[in-house]
Amino acid sequence: MTKDKEPIVRSFHFVYIITLMFGTIIQFSDESEFTVNKSNKGLTHVPKGLPPQTKVLDMSQNCISELHLSDISLLSGLKVLRLSHNRLQYLDVSVFKFNQDLEYLDLSHNQLQKMSCHLITSLKHLDLSFNDFDALPICKEFGNLTQLNFLGLSAKTVHQLDLLPIAHLHLSCILLELEHYYIKEHETGSLQILNTETLHLVFHQNNYFSVEANISVNSLGCLQLSNVKLDNTNCHILIKFLSELTRGPNLLNLTLNHVETTWKCLVRVFQFLWPKPIEYLNIYNITLVESIDEEDITYSETSLKALNIEHVINTVFLFSQTIVYTVFSKMNIMKLTISDTPLIHMLCPQATSTFKFLNFSQNVFTDNVFQNCSTLVRLETLILQKNKLKDLFKVGLMTKDMPSLETLDVSWNSLEYDRHDRNCTWVGSIVVLNLSSNILTDSVFRCLPPRVKVLDLHNNRITTIPENVTSLEALQELNVASNSLAHLPGCGTFSSLSVLIIDYNSISNPSAHFFQSCQKIRSINAGNNPFQCTCELREFIQSIGQVSSEVVEGWPDSYKCDYPGSYKGTLLKDFHVSPLSCNTALLIVTIGITGLLLAVAVTVLCIYFDLPWYLRMMCQWTQTRHRARNISLDKLQRTLQFHAFISYSEHDSGWVKNELVPCLEKEGIRICLHERNFVPGKSIVENIINCIEKSYKSIFVLSPNFVQSEWCHYELYFAHHNLFHEGSNNLILILLEPIPQNCIPSKYHKLKALMAQRTYLEWPKEKSKHGLFWANIRAAFNIKLTLNTENNDVKNLKSQEIQYKNPS
Ligand SMILES: *[C@@H]1O[C@H](CO)[C@@H](O)[C@H](O)[C@H]1NC(C)=O
């Protein structure tokens, strides 16, 4: 029984919320900033030092037993005070005399026995329910509360004139808690008149219903009774109690909450209420007791539109189920909800039924429900959520004779479709089909109503949407979230698709063609998929960028990279790769263009700046420097008198004397020229050999003229011979003018060989290149020169002296 307390609390919350909505929230909407929450803090008294601008003060769920003027007198702006679930026993209402704006005062669930009467007239919500008042705490001052919307009261007895002071007030809701109500013999039959739209009466949980007070309410629109315990002997007391209350023409809504009853009494209550003006009857939390026997029931004409029965516990075990089903299936109303009950079946109505809306969610119905049932011709909505349905084929078959059925919800069952041999039969009128939270696979697409517009398949086991599904041309909304789909579907088969929900699947590489294929798409949610952030995804991200941002639900926050590891968690929005690394054609073109530019640059350098010449010169320069380093000093110092001997053709003497010699001598290079240094009296050959031997290097100025000169060739021969003999590279070839290969007479094979090696220095025609040319020549003599000159200077001088002294 304790477990059942919760629903009452819930229904109270409902009332509170209603009153809050209409009574306070709208008027107080700007006060959230001055809210002080001290609830559930173990307080035994009101804390000191509350901010004086406090407008909403919550001190519920504490142990406060007294409330003094000084506690709240400074809070002059206080509008809402919650003190429920405390230990107040007495309240002097004058403590609120400085809180003239107080509109909402909740003192419920205390131990109040007495209360003074000086109420503030600004009150709109006053809750005194669940206290220990003996009689209703209503004094005549209550009549001044003209603003009052909600009044919560509690009492152990109800006296005849108790409610008189408030009879003229127009209230939205009265909560009358009569948990400890007991009958005083002479009071029965007292008539109380009230003016309220909603009356909520709470009786004792464990006591059989016994309230015989006669309460009549003007303009009552909504009546709620909580804790109604009935058996076959007190059933008539409830019916009598209700007959006064249900008299008014305005009563549209009756709610019974937490009812314990026999089946017999329940049927009697139905029968009693059927001709009443009530349109909506709700019964929450029923426990059926004693026995279930067949009851005679004929339903009269009724205003009742909807019967709503939720959460039924049946303590009767042996009974015929058909008895129960018959009572409901015969009902002549439009809407019936029976949910959260142990019902395993429902009978097909025997005659054409008035039902338009049937909600049997959270029962234990099987596939056999409504098979071959042709009386539900007006049924538009059928909800069989959370039952034990297994076969989608049979669900389709069930709808066959329901020509008006538009909405079918069979979510949260164990539906499968594996009858591949038989085609599914559905009624063509179905527009909304909810198949979510079942165990359906890809095959479900072969068993769907042809004209369905809204299809919910989320939380199933679908891996692909087959291409060749019977075309669902009317389909507008498809929800396939929380499946195992690896791809975005195209809209080939769903030509009208405008909403696609496909989040929480296994899509790693959504196709960028989606938006082209699905022209009518208004909304897509593809978030929370394991996106693989690679080049392919770039196109998809780009295509998202092209559609308007309202179309893509959850963008950008639910779209994150899952792979590769380095991008994990990155928003797709922030994922960028260079276009180059993704586009092979672009990559090839770029490489091609770069190569071409390079080739052009090289060609230009070669043609206009003679790059090969520079390269050759540089190369020789480095080689010479390298060689120079390896020559031992001793050898150099031995017999050398000159740094260089120059051999040239007479025709080139102009260049040699004007350019080469001055340039070399400027650097301190001693030169042996045959006109200058030839020893007279010696044969020419002797002189040449002598000159070559005394020189560190031999320079040959090559030109076509040189080739023609026989002498020159001799000189070259000797020098080359000397070169090999000495084992060092002392030959410097300068190509003054190009020599065509065929100009060299074949007997000069040595010259040919040297030319072929291309180890000569070319004399550049361009002035700009002369610097490098000379640098190269100088490099051939190099550093060691300075060392030698000192030693050789003396030597040379001596030998020159000797030469001049001994002109043999
Ligand atoms: C289908 O049913 C589930 C709950 O069972 C609900 O959350 C969902 O909104 C329903 N879908 C549609 C399209 O009504």
Side-chain angles (χ1 to χ4, degrees):
M1 278 298 177
T2 45
K3 188 173 147 259
D4 297 328
K5 188 134 195 174
E6 188 200 80
I8 313 172
V9 174
R10 195 177 65 190
S11 64
F12 285 163
H13 284 170
F14 173 72
V15 174
Y16 289 173
I17 285 164
I18 295 267
T19 32
L20 260 178
M21 275 171 57
F22 296 114
T24 56
I25 284 185
I26 292 165
Q27 288 121 353
F28 301 165
S29 54
D30 56 335
E31 271 126 39
S32 48
E33 19 193 324
F34 304 115
T35 299
V36 175
N37 189 352
K38 297 276 178 199
S39 82
N40 214 346
K41 297 263 193 306
L43 302 176
T44 51
H45 55 269
V46 179
K48 298 272 175 274
L50 292 167
Q53 72 270 40
T54 303
K55 289 197 172 167
V56 179
L57 176 58
D58 188 349
M59 292 192 296
S60 58
Q61 322 237 20
N62 283 298
C63 307
I64 298 168
S65 54
E66 282 176 330
L67 190 63
H68 302 287
L69 180 69
S70 59
D71 288 337
I72 49 166
S73 57
L74 290 176
L75 312 179
S76 55
L78 193 67
K79 284 194 170 174
V80 178
L81 177 60
R82 298 175 200 276
L83 272 166
S84 63
H85 295 275
N86 274 288
R87 294 186 185 163
L88 296 172
Q89 291 183 349
Y90 173 75
L91 184 69
D92 178 4
V93 184
S94 62
V95 297
F96 299 115
K97 70 179 168 200
F98 296 114
N99 311 104
Q100 288 300 323
D101 289 341
L102 192 65
E103 294 179 347
Y104 188 107
L105 179 58
D106 185 356
L107 294 164
S108 64
H109 297 274
N110 276 281
Q111 295 153 11
L112 289 173
Q113 290 168 355
K114 274 197 186 117
M115 205 178 95
S116 69
C117 275
H118 315 285
L119 283 167
I120 328 128
T121 48
S122 57
L123 276 179
K124 291 178 176 167
H125 181 108
L126 174 61
D127 196 348
L128 298 166
S129 61
F130 299 93
N131 277 291
D132 291 341
F133 296 111
D134 274 331
L136 286 171
I138 295 177
C139 33
K140 65 176 190 312
E141 285 86 349
F142 272 63
N144 301 333
L145 302 175
T146 48
Q147 313 249 45
L148 204 62
N149 252 318
F150 177 93
L151 179 59
L153 298 165
S154 69
K156 292 180 182 155
T157 54
V158 179
H159 298 283
Q160 194 163 8
L161 298 173
D162 279 350
L163 293 165
L164 196 61
I166 55 165
H168 66 284
L169 296 178
H170 289 275
L171 298 167
S172 298
C173 183
I174 292 184
L175 167 63
L176 187 54
E177 180 253 311
L178 299 170
E179 278 205 355
H180 302 282
Y181 179 84
Y182 60 90
I183 322 156
K184 284 186 177 172
E185 282 305 318
H186 62 280
E187 292 288 354
T188 56
S190 61
L191 189 70
Q192 309 281 338
I193 299 177
L194 281 171
N195 250 322
T196 181
E197 267 164 50
T198 299
L199 177 63
H200 184 184
L201 295 160
V202 182
F203 306 103
H204 195 278
Q205 280 186 39
N206 298 325
N207 294 353
Y208 282 102
F209 186 84
S210 59
V211 181
E212 295 194 36
N214 243 337
I215 302 174
S216 165
V217 182
N218 293 331
S219 70
L220 185 65
C222 180
L223 175 65
Q224 188 174 353
L225 306 184
S226 292
N227 299 339
V228 182
K229 192 171 173 180
L230 300 166
D231 61 9
N232 291 341
T233 56
N234 72 343
C235 198
H236 69 281
I237 302 178
L238 176 74
I239 287 173
K240 184 158 174 281
F241 182 79
L242 285 177
S243 50
E244 193 58 48
L245 280 169
T246 54
R247 202 189 299 273
N250 299 323
L251 183 65
L252 300 181
N253 215 318
L254 173 61
T255 301
L256 303 174
N257 188 14
H258 194 224
V259 180
E260 185 184 311
T261 177
T262 58
W263 175 249
K264 190 186 177 84
C265 183
L266 185 65
V267 174
R268 276 185 67 190
V269 170
F270 284 155
Q271 202 130 33
F272 162 75
L273 292 175
W274 231 249
K276 300 288 172 190
I278 297 163
E279 291 186 0
Y280 300 94
L281 174 59
N282 306 304
I283 310 178
Y284 302 124
N285 308 300
I286 313 180
T287 308
L288 285 175
V289 294
E290 286 183 24
S291 64
I292 296 179
D293 302 307
E294 190 158 2
E295 304 297 331
D296 237 8
I297 182 160
T298 41
Y299 292 105
S300 54
E301 283 284 309
T302 182
S303 330
L304 196 64
K305 288 181 182 154
L307 170 62
N308 195 354
I309 298 176
E310 284 178 32
H311 191 69
V312 177
I313 296 171
N314 185 11
T315 62
V316 186
F317 292 106
L318 279 176
F319 68 101
S320 156
Q321 297 258 347
T322 325
I323 292 172
V324 178
Y325 307 146
T326 320
V327 166
F328 294 110
S329 69
K330 273 164 65 178
M331 285 181 172
N332 52 351
I333 55 176
M334 282 195 304
K335 290 185 166 191
L336 174 63
T337 298
I338 302 178
S339 91
D340 196 9
T341 77
L343 286 190
I344 56 170
H345 195 65
M346 183 50 60
L347 281 187
C348 178
Q350 280 178 341
T352 301
S353 163
T354 52
F355 290 130
K356 280 187 169 179
F357 174 99
L358 288 176
N359 179 353
F360 295 122
S361 58
Q362 240 183 306
N363 297 306
V364 273
F365 283 19
T366 64
D367 297 333
N368 295 326
V369 72
F370 297 140
Q371 290 292 336
N372 298 316
C373 178
S374 52
T375 47
L376 292 169
V377 287
R378 294 190 201 153
L379 191 62
E380 289 168 7
T381 303
L382 176 58
I383 299 171
L384 292 169
Q385 193 188 94
K386 290 188 181 156
N387 276 283
K388 296 277 181 261
L389 306 179
K390 287 203 169 82
D391 189 354
L392 186 62
F393 180 85
K394 288 192 82 174
V395 171
L397 216 54
M398 170 190 79
T399 67
K400 189 172 53 116
D401 298 316
M402 302 175 174
S404 310
L405 191 65
E406 287 183 355
T407 303
L408 176 63
D409 182 350
V410 284
S411 59
W412 291 104
N413 280 280
S414 310
L415 286 172
E416 276 178 287
Y417 173 64
D418 50 12
R419 298 210 199 182
H420 303 302
D421 49 327
R422 295 175 66 186
N423 282 339
C424 285
T425 317
W426 289 93
V427 69
S429 54
I430 293 181
V431 177
V432 180
L433 178 59
N434 198 335
L435 293 170
S436 63
S437 302
N438 281 289
I439 48 176
L440 294 159
T441 58
D442 305 357
S443 61
V444 67
F445 287 97
R446 275 184 275 118
C447 184
L448 291 172
R451 272 182 291 232
V452 65
K453 284 185 183 163
V454 179
L455 178 59
D456 193 340
L457 276 166
H458 83 260
N459 194 19
N460 275 285
R461 297 181 185 169
I462 302 167
T463 55
T464 50
I465 297 178
E467 290 284 322
N468 54 351
V469 300
T470 38
S471 62
L472 297 170
E473 271 155 26
L475 190 64
Q476 290 170 0
E477 289 186 35
L478 175 62
N479 185 345
V480 280
S482 303
N483 278 282
S484 309
L485 288 161
H487 301 287
L488 279 184
C491 288
T493 35
F494 317 122
S495 48
S496 310
L497 197 68
S498 66
V499 176
L500 176 64
I501 304 167
I502 194 164
D503 51 344
Y504 293 101
N505 273 279
S506 310
I507 300 172
S508 54
N509 267 322
S511 148
H513 299 301
F514 175 80
F515 291 102
Q516 282 157 27
S517 144
C518 302
Q519 292 286 343
K520 292 192 184 158
I521 211 84
R522 274 193 293 108
S523 160
I524 175 175
N525 183 349
N528 296 298
N529 274 294
F531 292 110
Q532 194 172 331
C533 286
T534 55
C535 289
E536 288 83 54
L537 200 68
R538 254 181 81 251
E539 291 176 36
F540 177 71
I541 298 172
Q542 279 168 1
S543 64
I544 281 186
Q546 281 153 14
V547 296
S548 97
S549 59
E550 294 109 64
V551 170
V552 187
E553 301 285 333
W555 181 266
D557 294 342
S558 351
Y559 297 75
K560 290 179 186 158
C561 298
D562 188 59
Y563 177 89
S566 54
Y567 283 114
K568 200 174 170 82
T570 309
L571 293 182
L572 256 53
K573 176 178 70 101
D574 301 327
F575 169 69
H576 301 291
V577 274
S578 71
L580 197 61
S581 54
C582 286
N583 191 335
T584 334
L586 195 62
L587 187 67
I588 290 172
V589 165
T590 312
I591 291 176
I593 288 177
T594 318
L596 205 69
L597 284 176
L598 214 63
V600 167
V602 168
T603 317
V604 166
L605 280 176
C606 287
I607 293 175
Y608 292 97
F609 301 103
D610 210 357
L611 186 71
W613 183 86
Y614 279 104
L615 288 177
R616 270 206 309 281
M617 291 300 259
M618 294 301 289
C619 181
Q620 283 186 0
W621 191 45
T622 37
Q623 273 174 7
T624 328
R625 290 190 68 110
H626 178 68
R627 260 189 253 117
R629 237 174 266 144
N630 294 337
I631 297 165
S632 70
L633 282 174
D634 300 348
K635 276 185 181 170
L636 286 168
Q637 285 167 355
R638 240 182 279 150
T639 54
L640 300 178
Q641 279 185 13
F642 301 99
H643 290 123
F645 158 73
I646 300 177
S647 167
Y648 57 93
S649 153
E650 206 44 47
H651 296 280
D652 300 326
S653 63
W655 180 77
V656 171
K657 285 180 188 144
N658 298 332
E659 299 265 359
L660 183 60
V661 173
C663 198
L664 292 179
E665 288 188 330
K666 196 169 71 196
E667 296 291 323
I669 296 168
R670 230 179 301 280
I671 291 174
C672 182
L673 279 175
H674 59 81
E675 310 97 288
R676 221 162 58 184
N677 305 91
F678 266 33
V679 182
K682 279 197 175 180
S683 76
I684 294 171
V685 178
E686 254 181 310
N687 261 314
I688 290 174
I689 293 171
N690 199 22
C691 212
I692 289 174
E693 276 178 352
K694 283 179 183 163
S695 299
Y696 170 39
K697 301 254 173 185
S698 302
I699 299 174
F700 289 83
V701 180
L702 307 177
S703 69
N705 305 324
F706 182 91
V707 177
Q708 302 307 318
S709 157
E710 197 133 337
W711 275 120
C712 288
H713 191 67
Y714 272 119
E715 288 168 350
L716 180 64
Y717 178 80
F718 291 133
H720 200 234
H721 187 76
N722 192 37
L723 170 119
F724 287 115
H725 191 69
E726 294 285 312
S728 61
N729 197 350
N730 284 351
L731 213 54
I732 297 172
L733 302 177
I734 294 173
L735 187 68
L736 190 59
E737 281 171 47
I739 309 171
Q741 194 73 4
N742 53 7
C743 289
I744 307 171
S746 56
K747 54 182 176 177
Y748 302 152
H749 54 270
K750 198 138 280 168
L751 179 62
K752 270 194 165 175
L754 283 169
M755 292 293 289
Q757 282 171 15
R758 295 173 66 87
T759 49
Y760 47 77
L761 299 168
E762 256 178 283
W763 169 248
K765 295 271 171 295
E766 299 90 339
K767 252 212 136 79
S768 59
K769 291 179 184 170
H770 289 177
L772 186 57
F773 176 83
W774 294 124
N776 234 319
I777 297 274
R778 278 198 298 276
F781 293 95
N782 211 336
I783 7 153
K784 271 133 197 175
L785 193 68
T786 44
L787 270 174
N788 296 339
T789 38
E790 269 182 42
N791 289 337
N792 288 348
D793 271 348
V794 187
K795 240 188 190 171
N796 290 348
L797 270 173
K798 277 183 189 157
S799 63
Q800 271 179 345
E801 268 173 323
I802 294 164
Q803 273 184 357
Y804 294 123
K805 276 179 190 168
N806 298 324
S808 55

